[in-house]
Amino acid sequence: MPVPLYQAKAEFFRMLGHPVRIRVLELLQDGPVPVRDLLAAIDVEPPNLSQHLAVLRRSGIVTSAREGSSVVYQLAGGDVADLMRAARRILTAMLTDQHDLLEELRSSDVGTP
Amino acid sequence: MPVPLYQAKAEFFRMLGHPVRIRVLELLQDGPVPVRDLLAAIDVEPPNLSQHLAVLRRSGIVTSAREGSSVVYQLAGGDVADLMRAARRILTAMLTDQHDLLEELRSSDVGTP
DNA sequence: TAGGCAATTGCGAATATTCGCAAATCCATA
DNA sequence: TATGGATTTGCGAATATTCGCAATTGCCTA
């Protein structure tokens, strides 16, 4: 019996739910990047980055390949950029709503009609 | 100083990272739904659902309103369906890749060339 | 083949999530 | 105003994540 789809989706989103992993995925969007460069870009200790990379690898969203003495990561497939765009749209909408609400509260400080 | 964008994104995805919350968002896509109906649809205890609804509310992705003796939830804005579609595309691509790899392994069981 | 850099793994402690149960709230209506 | 259904809140226990540090592995080059 297969894993219910909503559970697979939840695991997928949970996998995305860490700042370091988000940054890695963003850095990989323009093509393969060696771990060395990720380390230089992300303010995180090597073992810690490695663990986050392992999470991404296990989920299947990235693949890794040895190249000489270094290891290069790349997106496995699918349009991650598209997902990030969708997320950004929603985040923007949410923040805008909150902002609008704030404005509303500000302009009507005498209570509800 | 604002929260770094990648952290906001991570929090957003983490908020999505639970099966019950995914199901709620899916159920809300066709319009507002009272808690009662969510409870009937989702196999979860009332207090537990309520806590997940609180997570969604705090993040701002849904809003709630009292209607008589019941409470109705709805999506706050932004195109959540779009996000789900993007996620589904990536999940599909990932599963396809894995499937392809499996086929490959199956058809070449004599070892690497 | 010894030494060194790059990356990963193992593991324990700190922290965060999740869940169930009891209790509290909010409304409608008797 | 008392009763009852619907939802939320408050915790404590169980579980899962995250992080740092030591140790290990893989590969290049002296």
Side-chain angles (χ1 to χ4, degrees), chain A:
Chain A
M1 85 197 147
V3 177
L5 187 54
Y6 53 84
Q7 192 176 325
K9 280 190 195 171
E11 276 167 26
F12 177 74
F13 285 124
R14 181 141 24 107
M15 174 272 285
L16 294 173
H18 191 286
V20 169
R21 298 197 288 268
I22 292 287
R23 297 210 66 190
V24 168
L25 292 178
E26 286 178 344
L27 288 166
L28 294 186
Q29 285 193 53
D30 302 320
V33 178
V35 173
R36 177 179 346 103
D37 292 2
L38 295 174
L39 271 172
I42 305 186
D43 191 37
V44 61
E45 300 299 310
N48 198 354
L49 175 61
S50 209
Q51 283 164 342
H52 287 297
L53 290 174
V55 171
L56 294 172
R57 242 186 298 125
R58 269 198 297 281
S59 85
I61 203 177
V62 305
T63 59
S64 66
R66 255 215 128 77
E67 275 188 23
S69 69
S70 72
V71 176
V72 175
Y73 277 79
Q74 69 176 321
L75 296 182
D79 194 348
V80 173
D82 210 41
L83 180 77
M84 295 295 172
R85 263 193 300 278
R88 174 192 294 264
R89 265 200 304 280
I90 296 184
L91 273 169
T92 306
M94 279 164 38
L95 292 174
T96 304
D97 285 359
Q98 287 172 223
H99 181 261
D100 287 355
L101 181 58
L102 205 61
E103 290 291 298
E104 224 173 292
L105 286 172
R106 222 173 251 148
S107 63
S108 68
D109 47 329
V110 283
T112 52

Side-chain angles (χ1 to χ4, degrees), chain B residues 20 35 38-40 42-53:
Chain B
V20 169
V35 173
L38 296 174
L39 271 172
I42 306 185
D43 191 36
V44 63
E45 300 299 312
N48 198 355
L49 175 62
S50 208
Q51 282 165 343
H52 287 297
L53 290 174

Side-chain angles (χ1 to χ4, degrees), chain B residues 34-99:
Chain B
V35 173
R36 176 179 348 101
D37 292 1
L38 296 174
L39 271 172
I42 306 185
D43 191 36
V44 63
E45 300 299 312
N48 198 355
L49 175 62
S50 208
Q51 282 165 343
H52 287 297
L53 290 174
V55 171
L56 294 172
R57 241 186 300 125
R58 269 197 298 279
S59 85
I61 202 176
V62 306
T63 59
S64 66
R66 250 210 134 80
E67 276 189 22
S69 70
S70 71
V71 176
V72 174
Y73 277 78
Q74 69 175 322
L75 296 182
D79 193 347
V80 173
D82 209 41
L83 180 78
M84 294 296 173
R85 265 193 298 280
R88 176 191 295 262
R89 266 199 303 281
I90 296 185
L91 272 170
T92 306
M94 279 164 39
L95 292 173
T96 304
D97 285 358
Q98 286 171 221
H99 182 260

